[in-house]
Amino acid sequence: MVTTDTDSELGSVAAEAALAGAGRGRVIWTPTAADRQQSTLTMFMTWLKQSRNLSFEGYDELWRWSTTDQAEFWEAIWHYFAVEADAPYNSVMEGAGFQNTQWFTGARLNFARMVMRHEKRLADHVAISAFHEDGSHARWTWSELGTAVRRVATGFRAMGIGPGDRVAAYLPNVVEAAIGFIAAAAVGAVWSSCSPEFGAGAATDRFAQIEPKLLIATSRYDYAGRLHDRSESVRELVKGLPTLEHLVLLQDDAQNLIDHGPLLRSWSSLAATPEPTYDDFTFEPVPSDHPLWVVYTSGTSGAPKAIVHTHVGALLGAMKDLTFHLEAREGSVLLFYATPSWIVWNTVLTSLALGTHVVLYDGSPFHPDLGSLWSIAERAGATIMGVSPGFAGRMKDRGYNPAAQHDLQRLEALILSGAVAEAPLYEWLADVLPPHCRILSQAGSTEVCGGYAGGVRLLPIHAGESTARMLGMDVDSVDPEGRSLRGRAGELVISTPFPNAPRCLWKDPDGTRLAASYLSHFGGRWQQGDMIIIHSDGGCRILGRSDATINRHGVRMGTSEFYRALEDDPAITDAITVFPQAGRYRDRLMLFVTLTDGRALDEDLLATIAARISARLSPRHVPDDIFDAPAIPYTSNGKRMEVPLRHLLEGQIHAQLFGASLQHDRATADWYTAFAGEPAPDSE
């Protein structure tokens, strides 16, 4: 980036300091001849040779073509996956730059039609399995899923829900959420969801931006062996969404939950809508750039950013990533521990377009014991499983050997995503899972609606690394002046557009906020906000966030949301929160607070702070550690020093450099450097 403010300079120093720990992990998996022959990438290259007379020696050549001949590559993706459209495209790619490029102009299609296209052919096969904490589960065949989608979509239309209307969902990872999502897409509505662990305030901050016409919600859910009542949260959420015309509740016994406001009905009554026949039902044809969903991510100030993805972008991006980098295909069984708050949930459901079997789980991965999720993987016959590094780390810390406890012979790949994981964790997993199972590091984001670096079955896997940059993703590592780096830490940028990039931010008509957030620092290249090392052989290592965004368990929230959650607590005068990604505080969500005179950070206040954050944000965002600090570090121009403090706690910068931006407040600099275990910076 070209800015010269203190935070940016510290970020650059942190990147250079990261070089000391940039050694590569050992090779934990090597492809066999059979792996290369059976890879979906080999099949794709064979198809390119036969249908387009394009030949590639290996993955690197294929990747370079995909990022230099973009129109040809994405047109090939369209035809390889046999996209069904009601009207053909006039042009694959028009315009230039991330904000002005339009994809498959003239085409009219429907995402849900593609997702449900295997219904007749696979009618009696399982499309979705839904597991619960109590061990019960339900299997939905393709025929049953299709019937449910048509009924709910027809019910939506009867409510007056049509193209462009927003449907919001406050639901856990249950089959009703999946059906609601596909049905909303089928009628051309715009979907947006978050899980009920989010407090009413955090959910309202998201949904109020898009002014939904319909809300689907739950009044309660089970998690970690407890029933969580969300009735009051639903009441508050409804009050905060004045545009609502309809409320659908999962529970039949919650009809009296809302005393006034939108028209209320139960999910069971919606799902009992008379079903049109398969041939009579119409998937609403929409333009290729029609909004499909709105997902949310946060910077360090302001409300969560509402990211808009399109029917064509979300579809093509997900099918490409799932097929060529996860090796998903018809018959694959995908189990990802994710909630409807996370883009991974959307992506996994998109895999139905490939004829996969999707496994949902709405409970705790550790209830009733450490083997809960592995038991589901065994029972469902999961072939691809996705978990967070935190989940895997807990297994390692407790000495839990999943392969010794469960039959995981069908498991082809374990995906680690949502946070940075170091090489030793991958090495441990490689030792305790079947030797044929690939341990993959998938790096992606909510914004790009998928991945930018991940697995490649044609290449060996180094522990702690993504094998290569993904097809169609022109990823680079650059220094602050935008010059490419290899083997050294730099800012992750994406140099050329791709269909699954955000179409826009909601209510950002001229693109000003999008440009300021992602495109302003490197001459129009996409700045993801991550630090990355790209090695000469194409292997990539993500080092963590280059800004102050909190990314915990795959759900991202801006630090400002924490401060808003605490701002009316009379005991707290100020606060700062950080989430170190390295060092002795690694993966500890830390909150420093200053208190009113005479108030102590006792057990009662700790519990109050935790309860407030849990209720207003979510239980995932309750800090691991809360500290009473004498002051909060601010730059001389009034900006909280979140990034420098995080780097200090990670050991990425020296105390002197941290103190350099606190010359006006030496006592505060001394306290934090002493806390970090560093000698106090020299006074000058």
Side-chain angles (χ1 to χ4, degrees):
M1 63 185 73
V2 296
T3 180
T4 58
D5 64 24
T6 303
D7 281 5
S8 298
E9 291 172 5
L10 292 178
S12 176
V13 172
E16 294 301 318
L19 297 178
R24 306 187 71 177
R26 67 176 172 89
V27 174
I28 57 173
W29 184 89
T30 303
T32 64
D35 283 306
R36 295 189 181 94
Q37 181 180 7
Q38 296 166 10
S39 171
T40 55
L41 286 160
T42 299
M43 297 176 191
F44 182 48
M45 285 190 281
T46 300
W47 180 85
L48 288 170
K49 175 63 176 176
Q50 294 173 347
S51 66
R52 309 245 160 164
N53 199 29
L54 292 169
S55 297
F56 302 97
E57 289 298 320
Y59 182 77
D60 186 63
E61 280 192 14
L62 180 66
W63 175 82
R64 292 187 184 281
W65 167 72
S66 75
T67 56
T68 53
D69 293 334
Q70 297 160 278
E72 189 175 18
F73 168 71
W74 287 105
E75 184 175 39
I77 292 294
W78 174 287
H79 290 287
Y80 186 74
F81 290 110
V83 173
E84 299 173 11
D86 294 88
Y89 58 84
N90 300 321
S91 175
V92 174
M93 184 180 180
E94 292 183 2
F98 279 92
Q99 291 182 287
N100 297 319
T101 299
Q102 296 182 346
W103 297 93
F104 297 95
T105 58
R108 297 186 72 87
L109 70 161
N110 187 282
F111 173 94
R113 177 182 173 186
M114 283 292 293
V115 166
M116 295 304 301
R117 63 176 171 168
H118 300 292
E119 178 188 344
K120 271 196 169 181
R121 188 172 58 83
L122 300 177
D124 296 328
H125 292 70
V126 177
I128 293 179
S129 293
F131 284 80
H132 306 286
E133 273 194 349
D134 61 7
S136 65
H137 76 284
R139 296 181 183 272
W140 292 69
T141 65
W142 278 95
S143 179
E144 291 167 338
L145 178 63
T147 295
V149 166
R150 285 189 292 278
R151 285 179 172 172
V152 172
T154 302
F156 285 168
R157 283 175 168 145
M159 294 179 185
I161 305 298
D165 291 330
R166 274 77 69 200
V167 175
Y170 188 60
L171 298 172
N173 188 19
V174 292
V175 72
E176 291 86 351
I179 293 168
F181 162 49
I182 300 170
V187 302
V190 183
W191 174 264
S192 190
S193 60
C194 71
S195 60
E197 66 181 22
F198 276 64
T204 303
D205 283 347
R206 287 155 173 76
F207 293 155
Q209 296 183 62
I210 64 170
E211 300 174 318
K213 193 172 180 178
L214 165 66
L215 173 67
I216 308 171
T218 183
S219 62
R220 59 182 180 269
Y221 70 97
D222 294 303
Y223 189 85
R226 290 179 51 217
L227 178 66
H228 297 260
D229 187 346
R230 306 309 284 166
S231 299
E232 188 57 38
S233 292
V234 174
R235 287 191 183 95
E236 292 181 25
L237 183 55
V238 169
K239 290 178 182 177
L241 301 175
T243 59
L244 283 183
E245 297 179 10
H246 302 278
L247 172 66
V248 174
L249 286 170
L250 254 57
Q251 291 78 20
D252 290 339
D253 60 354
Q255 289 289 337
N256 61 352
L257 178 63
I258 306 299
D259 299 323
H260 56 82
L263 184 64
L264 173 66
R265 67 186 300 181
S266 68
W267 175 268
S268 62
S269 68
L270 175 64
T273 302
E275 177 204 359
T277 66
Y278 179 94
D279 293 328
D280 289 340
F281 182 80
T282 300
F283 291 95
E284 187 70 32
V286 295
S288 58
D289 65 349
H290 186 78
L292 171 65
W293 59 53
V294 175
V295 288
Y296 304 91
T297 185
S298 300
T300 57
S301 61
K305 292 190 287 293
I307 306 284
V308 180
H309 292 125
T310 67
H311 278 242
V312 75
L315 178 68
L316 294 184
M319 289 198 298
K320 169 187 68 73
D321 289 356
L322 290 161
T323 300
F324 300 133
H325 299 287
L326 269 61
E327 294 281 332
R329 62 190 84 193
E330 185 175 314
S332 294
V333 181
L334 276 63
L335 167 61
F336 279 68
Y337 186 69
T339 74
S341 304
W342 191 12
I343 190 68
V344 168
W345 183 86
N346 306 56
T347 302
V348 170
L349 284 174
T350 308
S351 75
L352 292 169
L354 304 173
T356 65
H357 169 183
V358 172
V359 182
L360 308 178
Y361 176 54
D362 65 346
S364 166
F366 305 117
H367 183 82
D369 52 48
L370 290 177
S372 176
L373 206 59
W374 298 108
S375 294
I376 293 172
E378 179 179 5
R379 292 172 64 189
T383 60
I384 302 172
M385 184 175 177
V387 299
S388 70
F391 171 86
R394 188 162 177 178
M395 299 291 113
K396 180 175 182 291
D397 293 343
R398 300 291 180 87
Y400 190 89
N401 186 325
Q405 303 291 329
H406 307 276
D407 181 1
L408 302 175
Q409 288 305 307
R410 292 201 65 200
L411 190 63
E412 300 169 3
L414 182 76
I415 318 300
L416 293 184
S417 59
V420 175
E422 301 300 329
L425 182 59
Y426 290 82
E427 293 169 353
W428 176 79
L429 285 167
D431 291 338
V432 299
L433 290 176
H436 64 267
C437 179
R438 296 182 298 147
I439 316 299
L440 303 180
S441 172
Q442 296 290 112
S445 74
T446 298
E447 295 93 332
V448 305
C449 187
Y452 40 78
V456 173
R457 194 177 176 186
L458 305 177
L459 302 172
I461 299 172
H462 285 264
E465 292 184 13
S466 297
T467 313
R469 290 164 285 183
M470 288 184 172
L471 294 180
M473 304 300 285
D474 193 4
V475 173
D476 202 359
S477 174
V478 299
D479 68 12
E481 285 70 46
R483 296 171 297 206
S484 293
L485 301 171
R486 289 296 176 269
R488 301 171 57 196
E491 190 83 26
L492 190 157
V493 298
I494 306 174
S495 299
T496 53
F498 47 93
N500 45 302
R503 185 70 188 95
C504 60
L505 300 184
W506 197 264
K507 289 189 176 179
D508 181 31
D510 61 358
T512 300
R513 192 179 179 206
L514 178 68
S517 299
Y518 301 106
L519 301 169
S520 60
H521 295 299
F522 292 102
R525 287 188 284 180
W526 182 272
Q527 181 187 6
Q528 181 54 47
D530 287 330
M531 303 300 292
I532 186 174
I533 296 174
I534 302 176
H535 295 288
S536 58
D537 63 359
C540 304
R541 180 183 173 196
I542 305 299
L543 301 175
R545 299 294 300 168
S546 60
D547 58 19
T549 301
I550 303 297
N551 186 338
R552 196 182 192 207
H553 308 308
V555 178
R556 294 175 59 195
M557 281 191 174
T559 53
S560 65
E561 295 190 81
F562 287 84
Y563 309 142
R564 287 203 301 272
L566 299 171
E567 64 185 359
D568 59 351
D569 190 321
I572 298 172
T573 60
D574 206 353
I576 188 169
T577 185
V578 292
F579 188 45
Q581 300 286 286
R584 59 176 172 164
Y585 298 109
R586 178 180 179 273
D587 289 338
R588 304 290 295 178
L589 181 55
M590 306 173 73
L591 177 69
F592 297 85
V593 296
T594 57
L595 305 177
T596 54
D597 290 342
R599 188 64 195 264
L601 189 62
D602 53 25
E603 292 298 321
D604 288 343
L605 183 54
L606 287 170
T608 297
I609 294 171
R612 182 180 292 264
I613 291 175
S614 177
R616 296 189 177 186
L617 298 180
S618 83
R620 293 169 185 253
H621 294 85
V622 173
D624 295 300
D625 305 294
I626 304 174
F627 302 98
D628 181 1
I632 299 303
Y634 284 87
T635 62
S636 58
N637 62 0
K639 181 179 178 182
R640 281 186 179 91
M641 293 177 55
E642 293 153 329
V643 173
L645 177 57
R646 193 191 81 206
H647 289 158
L648 177 72
L649 296 171
E650 290 172 341
Q652 304 282 20
I653 61 174
H654 296 296
Q656 287 85 353
L657 190 56
F658 178 78
S661 54
L662 273 172
Q663 294 292 335
H664 58 288
D665 190 358
R666 301 300 304 179
T668 299
D670 291 350
W671 189 89
Y672 282 95
T673 53
F675 179 93
E678 296 277 1
D682 296 334
S683 297
E684 295 179 355

